Amino acid sequence: MVLTLVWPASSRPYLAGSTDNNFMNLVLGYNGVGRVLGHNHYGTHVDVDPVVPAASQHHGGWGDQVQGLPRLFTGEFGFEIGWLVPAALLAVVLVLISRGRAPRTDIVRAGTILFGTWLVIDGLVLSFMKTNVHPYYCMSRAPAVAAMFAIGLHEMWRRRDDRLGPIGLATLLLGTAAWRCWILART
């Protein structure tokens, strides 16, 4: 981003998708708020993505046209990352319960709040985007999902000597396996 901003516009290619060859217009307009609200870079409503052939958009092509929370668990989102999202969300809850009385400076709880918030906000944005959602958008969730699953497993293993640890660990692992089988059976 910085390189594009400092490079003189006269000696670099025109930024396709922007209205004025401005990188921030592209990031905040066409590929940012415009995609979330369903407007292209000219401020008009977009029913289909102009970059993707129209035939592939409505017949199992790029992105699932389902809108709302089911979008995260259907189509390519489902088998690419949706199979691990419930476990990551459960890990948020389990770790916050486990670390409920920890000091305010507890790094595990801070990481859980950080990655858990990222997971929820990113999921809501992707769920309710008004335009076509490409499968590669799920990469924005991958760090938060992986971090929360790992933090949850570690925390439950650390608490393996009390009741929360074994129950939480079994629920995370068996629940993930069952959810994954269900998602695979649907595809």
Side-chain angles (χ1 to χ4, degrees):
M1 285 178 23
V2 172
L3 186 59
T4 305
L5 289 172
V6 298
W7 202 277
S10 60
S11 63
R12 65 171 157 77
Y14 187 84
L15 298 172
S18 71
T19 56
D20 58 359
N21 200 24
N22 181 325
F23 181 76
M24 294 311 289
N25 174 280
L26 183 64
V27 171
L28 296 176
Y30 180 71
N31 284 325
V33 177
R35 288 215 186 252
V36 173
L37 298 179
H39 299 290
N40 67 6
H41 56 291
Y42 299 110
T44 59
H45 184 71
V46 177
D47 290 320
V48 293
D49 193 320
V51 177
V52 182
S56 70
Q57 293 185 43
H58 300 292
H59 304 290
W62 291 12
D64 197 325
Q65 298 300 319
V66 174
Q67 197 172 17
L69 292 176
R71 176 184 278 169
L72 299 177
F73 306 105
T74 58
E76 292 189 52
F77 268 92
F79 63 82
E80 286 186 14
I81 200 166
W83 64 276
L84 198 51
V85 169
L89 291 170
L90 177 60
V92 171
V93 173
L94 289 171
V95 172
L96 290 178
I97 290 170
S98 174
R99 296 287 181 143
R101 298 200 182 268
R104 191 174 67 96
T105 57
D106 181 44
I107 195 146
V108 174
R109 187 173 63 190
T112 300
I113 291 169
L114 172 76
F115 289 115
T117 303
W118 175 351
L119 185 63
V120 170
I121 290 173
D122 194 49
L124 290 172
V125 169
L126 289 175
S127 293
F128 296 103
M129 284 180 77
K130 302 277 188 220
T131 61
N132 195 17
V133 178
H134 301 289
Y136 64 83
Y137 289 3
C138 71
M139 291 187 328
S140 66
R141 308 191 79 206
V145 169
M148 279 318 311
F149 191 69
I151 291 169
L153 288 177
H154 180 268
E155 184 66 15
M156 293 303 103
W157 181 255
R158 189 185 71 77
R159 302 243 350 221
R160 66 188 175 273
D161 293 333
D162 62 42
R163 181 175 261 178
L164 180 63
I167 293 172
L169 194 58
T171 304
L172 281 172
L173 295 176
L174 295 174
T176 300
W179 181 253
R180 178 65 174 161
C181 288
W182 185 73
I183 290 216
L184 279 176
R186 291 180 30 205
T187 57

mmCIF file of all heavy atoms in Angstrom, residues 104-147:
data_model
loop_
_atom_site.group_PDB
_atom_site.id
_atom_site.type_symbol
_atom_site.label_atom_id
_atom_site.label_comp_id
_atom_site.label_asym_id
_atom_site.label_seq_id
_atom_site.Cartn_x
_atom_site.Cartn_y
_atom_site.Cartn_z
ATOM 1 N N ARG A 104 -6.077 -8.366 34.894
ATOM 2 C CA ARG A 104 -6.389 -7.598 33.685
ATOM 3 C C ARG A 104 -5.284 -7.680 32.643
ATOM 4 O O ARG A 104 -5.527 -7.544 31.453
ATOM 5 C CB ARG A 104 -6.631 -6.141 34.081
ATOM 6 C CG ARG A 104 -7.210 -5.283 33.005
ATOM 7 C CD ARG A 104 -7.543 -3.921 33.543
ATOM 8 N NE ARG A 104 -6.372 -3.167 33.917
ATOM 9 C CZ ARG A 104 -5.765 -2.268 33.147
ATOM 10 N NH1 ARG A 104 -6.262 -2.012 31.971
ATOM 11 N NH2 ARG A 104 -4.712 -1.634 33.560
ATOM 12 N N THR A 105 -4.075 -7.938 33.069
ATOM 13 C CA THR A 105 -2.927 -7.997 32.166
ATOM 14 C C THR A 105 -2.679 -9.396 31.596
ATOM 15 O O THR A 105 -1.665 -9.612 30.940
ATOM 16 C CB THR A 105 -1.660 -7.531 32.905
ATOM 17 O OG1 THR A 105 -1.488 -8.346 34.067
ATOM 18 C CG2 THR A 105 -1.760 -6.070 33.290
ATOM 19 N N ASP A 106 -3.583 -10.330 31.822
ATOM 20 C CA ASP A 106 -3.422 -11.713 31.351
ATOM 21 C C ASP A 106 -3.357 -11.748 29.831
ATOM 22 O O ASP A 106 -4.298 -11.340 29.142
ATOM 23 C CB ASP A 106 -4.589 -12.566 31.855
ATOM 24 C CG ASP A 106 -4.464 -14.007 31.422
ATOM 25 O OD1 ASP A 106 -3.352 -14.559 31.517
ATOM 26 O OD2 ASP A 106 -5.483 -14.573 30.990
ATOM 27 N N ILE A 107 -2.249 -12.241 29.299
ATOM 28 C CA ILE A 107 -2.032 -12.227 27.855
ATOM 29 C C ILE A 107 -2.938 -13.219 27.121
ATOM 30 O O ILE A 107 -3.341 -12.972 25.983
ATOM 31 C CB ILE A 107 -0.543 -12.463 27.515
ATOM 32 C CG1 ILE A 107 -0.285 -12.094 26.073
ATOM 33 C CG2 ILE A 107 -0.133 -13.877 27.776
ATOM 34 C CD1 ILE A 107 1.062 -11.525 25.828
ATOM 35 N N VAL A 108 -3.275 -14.328 27.752
ATOM 36 C CA VAL A 108 -4.160 -15.301 27.096
ATOM 37 C C VAL A 108 -5.561 -14.722 26.936
ATOM 38 O O VAL A 108 -6.182 -14.835 25.879
ATOM 39 C CB VAL A 108 -4.186 -16.632 27.890
ATOM 40 C CG1 VAL A 108 -5.212 -17.586 27.308
ATOM 41 C CG2 VAL A 108 -2.801 -17.270 27.897
ATOM 42 N N ARG A 109 -6.045 -14.093 27.989
ATOM 43 C CA ARG A 109 -7.366 -13.470 27.885
ATOM 44 C C ARG A 109 -7.344 -12.315 26.883
ATOM 45 O O ARG A 109 -8.277 -12.143 26.098
ATOM 46 C CB ARG A 109 -7.857 -12.982 29.245
ATOM 47 C CG ARG A 109 -9.305 -12.489 29.166
ATOM 48 C CD ARG A 109 -9.877 -12.169 30.498
ATOM 49 N NE ARG A 109 -9.139 -11.078 31.103
ATOM 50 C CZ ARG A 109 -9.289 -10.701 32.357
ATOM 51 N NH1 ARG A 109 -10.135 -11.318 33.131
ATOM 52 N NH2 ARG A 109 -8.589 -9.707 32.833
ATOM 53 N N ALA A 110 -6.272 -11.536 26.861
ATOM 54 C CA ALA A 110 -6.153 -10.434 25.893
ATOM 55 C C ALA A 110 -6.148 -10.973 24.463
ATOM 56 O O ALA A 110 -6.825 -10.438 23.583
ATOM 57 C CB ALA A 110 -4.891 -9.631 26.161
ATOM 58 N N GLY A 111 -5.397 -12.049 24.233
ATOM 59 C CA GLY A 111 -5.382 -12.665 22.904
ATOM 60 C C GLY A 111 -6.744 -13.211 22.516
ATOM 61 O O GLY A 111 -7.173 -13.101 21.363
ATOM 62 N N THR A 112 -7.447 -13.765 23.489
ATOM 63 C CA THR A 112 -8.783 -14.294 23.225
ATOM 64 C C THR A 112 -9.747 -13.171 22.870
ATOM 65 O O THR A 112 -10.547 -13.308 21.939
ATOM 66 C CB THR A 112 -9.293 -15.070 24.454
ATOM 67 O OG1 THR A 112 -8.388 -16.144 24.710
ATOM 68 C CG2 THR A 112 -10.688 -15.605 24.240
ATOM 69 N N ILE A 113 -9.668 -12.078 23.568
ATOM 70 C CA ILE A 113 -10.535 -10.932 23.254
ATOM 71 C C ILE A 113 -10.193 -10.381 21.875
ATOM 72 O O ILE A 113 -11.076 -10.086 21.072
ATOM 73 C CB ILE A 113 -10.438 -9.859 24.352
ATOM 74 C CG1 ILE A 113 -11.072 -10.381 25.639
ATOM 75 C CG2 ILE A 113 -11.093 -8.557 23.913
ATOM 76 C CD1 ILE A 113 -10.815 -9.526 26.868
ATOM 77 N N LEU A 114 -8.898 -10.262 21.587
ATOM 78 C CA LEU A 114 -8.467 -9.755 20.279
ATOM 79 C C LEU A 114 -8.949 -10.655 19.137
ATOM 80 O O LEU A 114 -9.644 -10.204 18.230
ATOM 81 C CB LEU A 114 -6.940 -9.634 20.235
ATOM 82 C CG LEU A 114 -6.365 -9.307 18.854
ATOM 83 C CD1 LEU A 114 -6.583 -7.841 18.520
ATOM 84 C CD2 LEU A 114 -4.900 -9.656 18.796
ATOM 85 N N PHE A 115 -8.580 -11.934 19.192
ATOM 86 C CA PHE A 115 -8.922 -12.840 18.099
ATOM 87 C C PHE A 115 -10.416 -13.173 18.069
ATOM 88 O O PHE A 115 -10.992 -13.378 17.008
ATOM 89 C CB PHE A 115 -8.082 -14.105 18.167
ATOM 90 C CG PHE A 115 -6.642 -13.870 17.813
ATOM 91 C CD1 PHE A 115 -5.644 -14.041 18.758
ATOM 92 C CD2 PHE A 115 -6.281 -13.464 16.539
ATOM 93 C CE1 PHE A 115 -4.318 -13.820 18.443
ATOM 94 C CE2 PHE A 115 -4.960 -13.236 16.210
ATOM 95 C CZ PHE A 115 -3.974 -13.411 17.157
ATOM 96 N N GLY A 116 -11.045 -13.224 19.229
ATOM 97 C CA GLY A 116 -12.482 -13.467 19.276
ATOM 98 C C GLY A 116 -13.273 -12.325 18.669
ATOM 99 O O GLY A 116 -14.229 -12.538 17.915
ATOM 100 N N THR A 117 -12.867 -11.101 18.956
ATOM 101 C CA THR A 117 -13.524 -9.930 18.369
ATOM 102 C C THR A 117 -13.310 -9.905 16.861
ATOM 103 O O THR A 117 -14.239 -9.644 16.094
ATOM 104 C CB THR A 117 -12.988 -8.636 19.017
ATOM 105 O OG1 THR A 117 -13.205 -8.713 20.429
ATOM 106 C CG2 THR A 117 -13.676 -7.407 18.462
ATOM 107 N N TRP A 118 -12.097 -10.181 16.422
ATOM 108 C CA TRP A 118 -11.782 -10.257 14.998
ATOM 109 C C TRP A 118 -12.680 -11.294 14.330
ATOM 110 O O TRP A 118 -13.272 -11.036 13.276
ATOM 111 C CB TRP A 118 -10.320 -10.619 14.853
ATOM 112 C CG TRP A 118 -9.769 -10.881 13.482
ATOM 113 C CD1 TRP A 118 -10.447 -11.000 12.295
ATOM 114 C CD2 TRP A 118 -8.394 -11.063 13.161
ATOM 115 N NE1 TRP A 118 -9.575 -11.259 11.270
ATOM 116 C CE2 TRP A 118 -8.306 -11.300 11.780
ATOM 117 C CE3 TRP A 118 -7.228 -11.067 13.911
ATOM 118 C CZ2 TRP A 118 -7.093 -11.530 11.135
ATOM 119 C CZ3 TRP A 118 -6.029 -11.281 13.272
ATOM 120 C CH2 TRP A 118 -5.966 -11.508 11.901
ATOM 121 N N LEU A 119 -12.787 -12.451 14.942
ATOM 122 C CA LEU A 119 -13.588 -13.541 14.392
ATOM 123 C C LEU A 119 -15.053 -13.150 14.231
ATOM 124 O O LEU A 119 -15.666 -13.374 13.185
ATOM 125 C CB LEU A 119 -13.456 -14.756 15.314
ATOM 126 C CG LEU A 119 -14.086 -16.054 14.910
ATOM 127 C CD1 LEU A 119 -13.447 -16.579 13.635
ATOM 128 C CD2 LEU A 119 -13.913 -17.064 16.027
ATOM 129 N N VAL A 120 -15.621 -12.521 15.246
ATOM 130 C CA VAL A 120 -17.036 -12.144 15.215
ATOM 131 C C VAL A 120 -17.286 -11.007 14.212
ATOM 132 O O VAL A 120 -18.194 -11.087 13.377
ATOM 133 C CB VAL A 120 -17.525 -11.754 16.625
ATOM 134 C CG1 VAL A 120 -18.899 -11.127 16.580
ATOM 135 C CG2 VAL A 120 -17.531 -12.985 17.531
ATOM 136 N N ILE A 121 -16.477 -9.958 14.272
ATOM 137 C CA ILE A 121 -16.690 -8.811 13.371
ATOM 138 C C ILE A 121 -16.485 -9.214 11.919
ATOM 139 O O ILE A 121 -17.300 -8.897 11.049
ATOM 140 C CB ILE A 121 -15.778 -7.630 13.759
ATOM 141 C CG1 ILE A 121 -16.248 -7.027 15.089
ATOM 142 C CG2 ILE A 121 -15.768 -6.568 12.663
ATOM 143 C CD1 ILE A 121 -15.323 -5.978 15.652
ATOM 144 N N ASP A 122 -15.421 -9.936 11.636
ATOM 145 C CA ASP A 122 -15.162 -10.363 10.263
ATOM 146 C C ASP A 122 -16.277 -11.289 9.774
ATOM 147 O O ASP A 122 -16.710 -11.192 8.630
ATOM 148 C CB ASP A 122 -13.805 -11.063 10.179
ATOM 149 C CG ASP A 122 -13.321 -11.228 8.761
ATOM 150 O OD1 ASP A 122 -13.357 -10.237 8.012
ATOM 151 O OD2 ASP A 122 -12.923 -12.344 8.405
ATOM 152 N N GLY A 123 -16.750 -12.157 10.637
ATOM 153 C CA GLY A 123 -17.847 -13.042 10.263
ATOM 154 C C GLY A 123 -19.121 -12.284 9.951
ATOM 155 O O GLY A 123 -19.824 -12.600 8.982
ATOM 156 N N LEU A 124 -19.421 -11.266 10.738
ATOM 157 C CA LEU A 124 -20.627 -10.470 10.482
ATOM 158 C C LEU A 124 -20.512 -9.684 9.177
ATOM 159 O O LEU A 124 -21.471 -9.609 8.408
ATOM 160 C CB LEU A 124 -20.903 -9.527 11.652
ATOM 161 C CG LEU A 124 -21.373 -10.208 12.942
ATOM 162 C CD1 LEU A 124 -21.436 -9.202 14.083
ATOM 163 C CD2 LEU A 124 -22.716 -10.888 12.737
ATOM 164 N N VAL A 125 -19.344 -9.117 8.927
ATOM 165 C CA VAL A 125 -19.147 -8.367 7.679
ATOM 166 C C VAL A 125 -19.295 -9.290 6.475
ATOM 167 O O VAL A 125 -20.012 -8.981 5.527
ATOM 168 C CB VAL A 125 -17.774 -7.654 7.666
ATOM 169 C CG1 VAL A 125 -17.452 -7.111 6.286
ATOM 170 C CG2 VAL A 125 -17.746 -6.529 8.687
ATOM 171 N N LEU A 126 -18.639 -10.445 6.505
ATOM 172 C CA LEU A 126 -18.740 -11.380 5.388
ATOM 173 C C LEU A 126 -20.156 -11.928 5.235
ATOM 174 O O LEU A 126 -20.610 -12.168 4.122
ATOM 175 C CB LEU A 126 -17.754 -12.535 5.567
ATOM 176 C CG LEU A 126 -16.282 -12.193 5.396
ATOM 177 C CD1 LEU A 126 -15.417 -13.397 5.723
ATOM 178 C CD2 LEU A 126 -15.990 -11.699 3.998
ATOM 179 N N SER A 127 -20.845 -12.122 6.327
ATOM 180 C CA SER A 127 -22.202 -12.671 6.277
ATOM 181 C C SER A 127 -23.181 -11.734 5.603
ATOM 182 O O SER A 127 -24.061 -12.174 4.870
ATOM 183 C CB SER A 127 -22.708 -12.953 7.688
ATOM 184 O OG SER A 127 -21.979 -13.978 8.274
ATOM 185 N N PHE A 128 -23.046 -10.456 5.876
ATOM 186 C CA PHE A 128 -24.052 -9.510 5.427
ATOM 187 C C PHE A 128 -23.580 -8.592 4.298
ATOM 188 O O PHE A 128 -24.239 -7.598 3.999
ATOM 189 C CB PHE A 128 -24.578 -8.703 6.616
ATOM 190 C CG PHE A 128 -25.283 -9.585 7.606
ATOM 191 C CD1 PHE A 128 -24.663 -9.958 8.779
ATOM 192 C CD2 PHE A 128 -26.547 -10.077 7.326
ATOM 193 C CE1 PHE A 128 -25.305 -10.798 9.686
ATOM 194 C CE2 PHE A 128 -27.197 -10.909 8.219
ATOM 195 C CZ PHE A 128 -26.571 -11.275 9.399
ATOM 196 N N MET A 129 -22.464 -8.935 3.647
ATOM 197 C CA MET A 129 -22.024 -8.163 2.486
ATOM 198 C C MET A 129 -23.105 -8.228 1.424
ATOM 199 O O MET A 129 -23.717 -9.264 1.206
ATOM 200 C CB MET A 129 -20.717 -8.716 1.925
ATOM 201 C CG MET A 129 -19.514 -8.345 2.736
ATOM 202 S SD MET A 129 -17.991 -9.026 2.046
ATOM 203 C CE MET A 129 -17.733 -7.911 0.675
ATOM 204 N N LYS A 130 -23.320 -7.129 0.744
ATOM 205 C CA LYS A 130 -24.395 -7.041 -0.244
ATOM 206 C C LYS A 130 -23.972 -7.498 -1.632
ATOM 207 O O LYS A 130 -24.798 -7.755 -2.480
ATOM 208 C CB LYS A 130 -24.900 -5.600 -0.336
ATOM 209 C CG LYS A 130 -25.406 -5.054 0.970
ATOM 210 C CD LYS A 130 -26.827 -5.473 1.192
ATOM 211 C CE LYS A 130 -27.359 -4.745 2.414
ATOM 212 N NZ LYS A 130 -28.171 -5.559 3.239
ATOM 213 N N THR A 131 -22.686 -7.582 -1.904
ATOM 214 C CA THR A 131 -22.238 -7.979 -3.236
ATOM 215 C C THR A 131 -21.764 -9.421 -3.221
ATOM 216 O O THR A 131 -21.750 -10.081 -2.196
ATOM 217 C CB THR A 131 -21.083 -7.079 -3.720
ATOM 218 O OG1 THR A 131 -19.994 -7.211 -2.811
ATOM 219 C CG2 THR A 131 -21.505 -5.643 -3.821
ATOM 220 N N ASN A 132 -21.331 -9.887 -4.368
ATOM 221 C CA ASN A 132 -20.809 -11.233 -4.516
ATOM 222 C C ASN A 132 -19.590 -11.406 -3.609
ATOM 223 O O ASN A 132 -18.708 -10.565 -3.591
ATOM 224 C CB ASN A 132 -20.424 -11.451 -5.982
ATOM 225 C CG ASN A 132 -20.224 -12.895 -6.311
ATOM 226 O OD1 ASN A 132 -20.652 -13.770 -5.572
ATOM 227 N ND2 ASN A 132 -19.571 -13.149 -7.419
ATOM 228 N N VAL A 133 -19.551 -12.491 -2.877
ATOM 229 C CA VAL A 133 -18.455 -12.759 -1.955
ATOM 230 C C VAL A 133 -17.599 -13.871 -2.544
ATOM 231 O O VAL A 133 -18.082 -14.970 -2.771
ATOM 232 C CB VAL A 133 -18.995 -13.162 -0.566
ATOM 233 C CG1 VAL A 133 -17.866 -13.489 0.369
ATOM 234 C CG2 VAL A 133 -19.859 -12.059 0.002
ATOM 235 N N HIS A 134 -16.344 -13.575 -2.798
ATOM 236 C CA HIS A 134 -15.430 -14.559 -3.369
ATOM 237 C C HIS A 134 -14.943 -15.515 -2.288
ATOM 238 O O HIS A 134 -14.749 -15.102 -1.140
ATOM 239 C CB HIS A 134 -14.230 -13.860 -4.006
ATOM 240 C CG HIS A 134 -14.604 -12.902 -5.076
ATOM 241 N ND1 HIS A 134 -15.080 -13.323 -6.304
ATOM 242 C CD2 HIS A 134 -14.601 -11.555 -5.114
ATOM 243 C CE1 HIS A 134 -15.345 -12.259 -7.048
ATOM 244 N NE2 HIS A 134 -15.055 -11.174 -6.352
ATOM 245 N N PRO A 135 -14.698 -16.767 -2.610
ATOM 246 C CA PRO A 135 -14.231 -17.732 -1.605
ATOM 247 C C PRO A 135 -12.922 -17.329 -0.933
ATOM 248 O O PRO A 135 -12.717 -17.628 0.232
ATOM 249 C CB PRO A 135 -14.053 -19.024 -2.406
ATOM 250 C CG PRO A 135 -14.934 -18.877 -3.579
ATOM 251 C CD PRO A 135 -14.973 -17.410 -3.900
ATOM 252 N N TYR A 136 -12.052 -16.624 -1.649
ATOM 253 C CA TYR A 136 -10.781 -16.252 -1.028
ATOM 254 C C TYR A 136 -10.946 -15.215 0.076
ATOM 255 O O TYR A 136 -10.017 -14.960 0.835
ATOM 256 C CB TYR A 136 -9.750 -15.801 -2.071
ATOM 257 C CG TYR A 136 -10.110 -14.556 -2.840
ATOM 258 C CD1 TYR A 136 -9.871 -13.295 -2.310
ATOM 259 C CD2 TYR A 136 -10.655 -14.646 -4.112
ATOM 260 C CE1 TYR A 136 -10.192 -12.155 -3.021
ATOM 261 C CE2 TYR A 136 -10.969 -13.510 -4.833
ATOM 262 C CZ TYR A 136 -10.742 -12.273 -4.285
ATOM 263 O OH TYR A 136 -11.050 -11.135 -4.990
ATOM 264 N N TYR A 137 -12.126 -14.619 0.212
ATOM 265 C CA TYR A 137 -12.360 -13.688 1.322
ATOM 266 C C TYR A 137 -12.256 -14.396 2.671
ATOM 267 O O TYR A 137 -12.005 -13.766 3.690
ATOM 268 C CB TYR A 137 -13.738 -13.042 1.223
ATOM 269 C CG TYR A 137 -13.906 -12.035 0.118
ATOM 270 C CD1 TYR A 137 -12.907 -11.745 -0.788
ATOM 271 C CD2 TYR A 137 -15.102 -11.363 -0.021
ATOM 272 C CE1 TYR A 137 -13.088 -10.821 -1.798
ATOM 273 C CE2 TYR A 137 -15.294 -10.431 -1.030
ATOM 274 C CZ TYR A 137 -14.288 -10.172 -1.916
ATOM 275 O OH TYR A 137 -14.465 -9.258 -2.904
ATOM 276 N N CYS A 138 -12.454 -15.714 2.678
ATOM 277 C CA CYS A 138 -12.381 -16.437 3.943
ATOM 278 C C CYS A 138 -10.966 -16.411 4.529
ATOM 279 O O CYS A 138 -10.791 -16.671 5.717
ATOM 280 C CB CYS A 138 -12.891 -17.863 3.800
ATOM 281 S SG CYS A 138 -11.824 -18.958 2.862
ATOM 282 N N MET A 139 -9.979 -16.050 3.723
ATOM 283 C CA MET A 139 -8.614 -15.941 4.250
ATOM 284 C C MET A 139 -8.513 -14.865 5.327
ATOM 285 O O MET A 139 -7.646 -14.944 6.185
ATOM 286 C CB MET A 139 -7.620 -15.652 3.124
ATOM 287 C CG MET A 139 -7.446 -16.816 2.203
ATOM 288 S SD MET A 139 -6.141 -16.666 0.953
ATOM 289 C CE MET A 139 -6.073 -14.950 0.560
ATOM 290 N N SER A 140 -9.406 -13.886 5.291
ATOM 291 C CA SER A 140 -9.367 -12.842 6.311
ATOM 292 C C SER A 140 -9.727 -13.389 7.686
ATOM 293 O O SER A 140 -9.414 -12.783 8.698
ATOM 294 C CB SER A 140 -10.312 -11.697 5.940
ATOM 295 O OG SER A 140 -11.659 -12.132 5.962
ATOM 296 N N ARG A 141 -10.384 -14.533 7.734
ATOM 297 C CA ARG A 141 -10.764 -15.151 9.001
ATOM 298 C C ARG A 141 -9.740 -16.167 9.482
ATOM 299 O O ARG A 141 -9.744 -16.530 10.655
ATOM 300 C CB ARG A 141 -12.106 -15.860 8.853
ATOM 301 C CG ARG A 141 -13.167 -14.962 8.265
ATOM 302 C CD ARG A 141 -14.507 -15.564 8.380
ATOM 303 N NE ARG A 141 -14.915 -15.337 9.762
ATOM 304 C CZ ARG A 141 -15.761 -16.095 10.405
ATOM 305 N NH1 ARG A 141 -16.327 -17.097 9.831
ATOM 306 N NH2 ARG A 141 -16.076 -15.832 11.657
ATOM 307 N N ALA A 142 -8.898 -16.654 8.601
ATOM 308 C CA ALA A 142 -7.988 -17.753 8.930
ATOM 309 C C ALA A 142 -7.099 -17.484 10.145
ATOM 310 O O ALA A 142 -6.996 -18.346 11.025
ATOM 311 C CB ALA A 142 -7.153 -18.130 7.719
ATOM 312 N N PRO A 143 -6.446 -16.333 10.265
ATOM 313 C CA PRO A 143 -5.603 -16.119 11.449
ATOM 314 C C PRO A 143 -6.403 -16.158 12.754
ATOM 315 O O PRO A 143 -5.956 -16.756 13.739
ATOM 316 C CB PRO A 143 -4.992 -14.734 11.224
ATOM 317 C CG PRO A 143 -5.061 -14.523 9.753
ATOM 318 C CD PRO A 143 -6.305 -15.216 9.302
ATOM 319 N N ALA A 144 -7.567 -15.540 12.770
ATOM 320 C CA ALA A 144 -8.376 -15.520 13.991
ATOM 321 C C ALA A 144 -8.899 -16.908 14.332
ATOM 322 O O ALA A 144 -8.895 -17.316 15.504
ATOM 323 C CB ALA A 144 -9.543 -14.539 13.841
ATOM 324 N N VAL A 145 -9.342 -17.657 13.332
ATOM 325 C CA VAL A 145 -9.851 -19.009 13.571
ATOM 326 C C VAL A 145 -8.736 -19.909 14.090
ATOM 327 O O VAL A 145 -8.903 -20.619 15.089
ATOM 328 C CB VAL A 145 -10.487 -19.596 12.287
ATOM 329 C CG1 VAL A 145 -10.777 -21.073 12.436
ATOM 330 C CG2 VAL A 145 -11.757 -18.844 11.933
ATOM 331 N N ALA A 146 -7.584 -19.873 13.426
ATOM 332 C CA ALA A 146 -6.462 -20.714 13.844
ATOM 333 C C ALA A 146 -5.976 -20.342 15.239
ATOM 334 O O ALA A 146 -5.725 -21.226 16.072
ATOM 335 C CB ALA A 146 -5.316 -20.589 12.838
ATOM 336 N N ALA A 147 -5.863 -19.049 15.504
ATOM 337 C CA ALA A 147 -5.402 -18.608 16.822
ATOM 338 C C ALA A 147 -6.362 -19.037 17.918
ATOM 339 O O ALA A 147 -5.949 -19.555 18.961
ATOM 340 C CB ALA A 147 -5.221 -17.091 16.835
#
